[in-house]
Each structure stands twice: as structure tokens, then as C-alpha cells.
Amino acid sequence: MASGSRGVEPTRLTLGVEEEFLLLNPDTGESMPVAEQVLAALSGTARAQSRQEFRHSMLEMVTPVCADLGQLREHLITLRRSAAEAAEAAGARLVAVGATPVGEAQLTVPDEQRYHAMSRRFGPVAHDPAVCGCHVHVGVPDRELAVQVCNHLRPWLPVVQALTANSPLYDGRDTGHNSWRSMQLERWPSIGPTPHFESVADYDATVQELITAGIMLDAAMVYWYARPSAAYPTVEVRVGDVCPCVDDTVLVAALVRALVATMIDRVREGVRPLQIRDCLVAAAHWRAAHDGVDGVLVDLCNGGARPAWELVDDLLDTVTPALTRHDDLDLVLRQTDRLRREGTGATRQRRVMAATDGDVQAVLRHLIAQTVAG
């Protein structure tokens, strides 16, 4: 993977995406505990790129390492369609939605030692209805550089979070939040905004202290919104809901790669990251989860609150050189304009609700179609 590390000229950074999906009953919208059946029905590349998740009603699909957005898009479409076919054979539907929209009867964890340990340690927190995220990995094998990049990402991740908002429903009703997934996850002690770290040694020492204190079982439970990945030589941004359609995912992946590339440049130039109080970063993420891009967001770079789309425009201005370098600018501008017209996944779900007098089944049909659209 290209590192873009100090002393090396910037290159096209590699990227990959992990997407989590729900397996829902097509008649009721409730979660169905059929993940093992779906996994068993997959074959070839789709099986190799699939993962068991924390709920019996969840499935994760992982793209290979990609060099460009066209390649990424093809993998996302293929994986989603393969998983959708396997889900339908098991009587369920694969749905790209950030949080369980109706209900989940079976809240036990799959029979894996690690999941059982998490269940014992965290109790009811570990038995909430399922939530699904989109995790974008960008190749940065230099861990020292990865830690510094995460410091620089902090002001921008609420904007990314707002763009991915795709979970307004819970228990069959509108929560008033664009990302209810974000609200559910706040109860976990190792999830939230990435703290500022002076160095990779500082990062590792802090993680070890949290493990010793019982906050995490191990380093793989670092669930901060950006982190040096525990499994891959990447910066992993894991702040977003799973996106309803592939085009949304590709847009978010492009923006994240461009953000990482931009922050690599800043680290190499000796630019210090903004020093922002953790409480303000947390407040910005809450506002992003609540409003999405339909309201206002907290401007962590300049202070105050501004219309969300103004901050999206600031993000685009910031990463335009990196988008140009990766030949992604035209696609990103085109897809951002589409998102501005259509709204995020949460906005689209609410539009269907409004047009059908609150029919959750209509929302479900909409989400099923969006999930496999290509």
C-alpha cells in the first residue's frame, strides 16, 4: 500500500471499505437471525470477503484493496448483490441501514469466545439491537504518521458523519435523529471521537492503560472514529452509518481518502493539528448525528455553528488538491451535487415516510432497492 510517508512524494493512496448490513424480514422489517445461513450460502470471492458480525442478523462485506474508485465501485456492487441473493435464499433481505429500524427478537451474540467475553464485560450495552457502519481504510503503513493524520482529521469527521446519516428509525418510529446508530453506540466506553495523541508511543501507552482499566478487552476494541487499524496498515475512518447505495459509499470513500492524503501533506509540512477541546468535538458529533446535512453543524475550525452544506463546501475546498491528484474530483463533485439534491439516506427514508403516511414497509422496500442499486 502507498504510504505517503515523510520523505516520499505523495502518491495515489490505496483504499478499501468494510460495509455492515442487516438481514431483515421482508414482511415485518424485523431483524432475522440468519447470518450463518447467509454466510454458508456464499461462495468464492464473496465468501472470502464476508465476515460474521456481532449479531445473528448482521453481515459484513469487505472489499479487497483498491487503487481507484471505479474498481472499488465494482467490488461493492458485486459483494452487495451476492450477499442479497444469499439473504433472499434464507428468506431475508439484505438492507443497508445504520440501525435496526423495527425490532430484533434475538439479542444474543454469535457463539464465539470473543463475543461472549464482550457480552459478560459490558452487559446490556452489548445487547442493543444491531447497528451497521461503513469503515473506510486508506493505506498508511507508517503508524507514527497514521497517528498524526488522525489528529488532523478530528475537525472534519463530524462532516463525514453527517453525510452518511442513514438511521432515523428505531422501534418503527422516527427518532428525530438522522443517525440513531451514533446514539446507540455512545454507550460503549471505547467508541467516540479520537483523542489527540502526541506520538504513536503515546497512543499505544494510552490503549494499554485502557485495557488494564477494563475499558477494552484488547487493542482491537479501539473503536474511535479514526484510528490506525488494528488489522491492516491503514488509517481507518469508522464514523459513518452504512450508506444506502453504492454511489454514496464511493463518495464517502473518496472524501476520506482525500482527507487522509491532505492531512499527510500537512504532517509532512510540519503543520500542527488544531487543538480542540474534546467536549466540543463530542458536541460536533452529536449535532452531526442529530441534524445530518439537513440542519447546522459545529464548525470546529472556526467556531460557532453554520449550515451543514457550507461545511461540506469547506471540506471540498480543503481536499480539492488531493481529489485532483487521485483523479477523483469530477466524480466527487458530481456525486456531491446528487446528494445535495436527493439528501442523505435518512432524508430519503423520511421522504418515503411522508409520502406514504408513515408506512415503514414502504421505507423497507425503498431500502432494499437502494442496497442493490448499481
Side-chain angles (χ1 to χ4, degrees):
M1 291 189 179
S3 69
S5 58
R6 299 182 197 81
V8 178
E9 288 305 308
T11 59
R12 295 170 61 95
L13 303 179
T14 55
L15 77 167
V17 171
E18 300 169 347
E19 292 190 299
E20 297 167 338
F21 301 97
L22 286 181
L23 300 165
L24 300 184
N25 185 309
D27 298 319
T28 67
E30 294 182 341
S31 300
M32 291 184 64
V34 294
E36 291 186 9
Q37 294 171 244
V38 174
L39 285 166
L42 293 170
S43 61
T45 301
R47 181 64 188 92
Q49 300 300 130
S50 63
R51 304 285 186 273
Q52 173 75 60
E53 258 301 335
F54 196 58
R55 285 283 172 270
H56 294 282
S57 59
M58 288 178 67
L59 186 70
E60 182 179 64
M61 305 301 289
V62 182
T63 73
V65 177
C66 299
D68 61 69
L69 298 183
Q71 183 184 25
L72 177 70
R73 188 175 189 276
E74 289 178 8
H75 285 301
L76 290 168
I77 291 172
T78 299
L79 290 172
R80 284 186 177 216
R81 290 181 175 172
S82 296
E85 290 175 6
E88 190 166 353
R93 296 296 184 271
L94 186 82
V95 181
V97 64
T100 299
V102 177
E104 185 154 17
Q106 186 169 332
L107 293 171
T108 58
V109 298
D111 190 19
E112 293 188 10
Q113 183 177 352
R114 177 179 173 76
Y115 291 159
H116 286 303
M118 291 170 70
S119 177
R120 290 191 298 270
R121 175 72 58 85
F122 300 105
V125 173
H127 296 275
D128 279 341
V131 294
C132 297
C134 172
H135 305 163
V136 180
H137 289 260
V138 182
V140 185
D142 180 339
R143 291 187 74 243
E144 186 68 60
L145 179 62
V147 167
Q148 298 304 326
V149 166
C150 290
N151 288 337
H152 281 273
L153 289 174
R154 279 161 45 95
W156 296 109
L157 293 185
V159 184
V160 175
Q161 181 180 16
L163 286 167
T164 67
N166 185 37
S167 51
L169 303 182
Y170 177 75
D171 198 23
R173 294 186 292 273
D174 193 328
T175 64
H177 292 74
N178 277 258
S179 174
W180 187 247
R181 165 186 167 273
S182 299
M183 297 297 99
Q184 281 188 237
L185 288 175
E186 281 193 352
R187 296 203 299 162
W188 286 86
S190 60
I191 292 179
T194 309
H196 174 91
F197 295 102
E198 288 300 320
S199 64
V200 70
D202 183 25
Y203 177 94
D204 289 341
T206 301
V207 170
Q208 186 55 54
E209 287 185 28
L210 291 169
I211 294 170
T212 300
I215 304 302
M216 305 173 185
L217 296 181
D218 50 41
M221 278 197 72
V222 175
Y223 296 144
W224 294 321
Y225 295 150
R227 66 177 185 177
S229 171
Y232 307 110
T234 64
V235 165
E236 179 185 2
V237 172
R238 45 187 299 119
V239 70
D241 289 359
V242 64
C243 295
C245 64
V246 165
D247 283 340
D248 291 350
T249 303
V250 172
L251 171 61
V252 170
L255 289 171
V256 169
R257 175 165 69 173
L259 269 171
V260 170
T262 300
M263 301 317 160
I264 286 174
D265 291 344
R266 291 186 179 179
V267 173
R268 294 175 64 234
E269 292 162 5
V271 178
R272 293 285 296 171
L274 293 175
Q275 299 298 307
I276 309 168
R277 293 186 184 277
D278 289 345
C279 61
L280 291 177
V281 179
H285 281 288
W286 181 88
R287 196 65 195 252
H290 185 273
D291 286 24
V293 291
D294 296 327
V296 301
L297 296 176
V298 178
D299 185 344
L300 290 173
C301 294
N302 302 296
R306 295 166 55 202
W309 279 105
E310 288 186 8
L311 286 173
V312 174
D313 289 338
D314 286 355
L315 170 60
L316 290 171
D317 289 343
T318 299
V319 301
T320 287
L323 290 172
T324 302
R325 192 161 75 224
H326 288 85
D327 296 325
D328 294 342
L329 182 60
D330 288 345
L331 181 148
V332 165
L333 293 178
R334 185 169 63 251
Q335 292 298 336
T336 303
D337 285 344
R338 176 189 58 81
L339 200 67
R340 200 185 303 257
R341 294 190 308 271
E342 296 179 358
T344 63
T347 304
R348 291 173 226 165
Q349 290 181 56
R350 288 192 171 115
R351 188 177 299 131
V352 174
M353 291 275 282
T356 60
D357 196 26
D359 186 354
V360 175
Q361 294 308 310
V363 176
L364 178 63
R365 291 191 294 272
H366 162 79
L367 287 168
I368 291 169
Q370 288 267 289
T371 299
V372 295

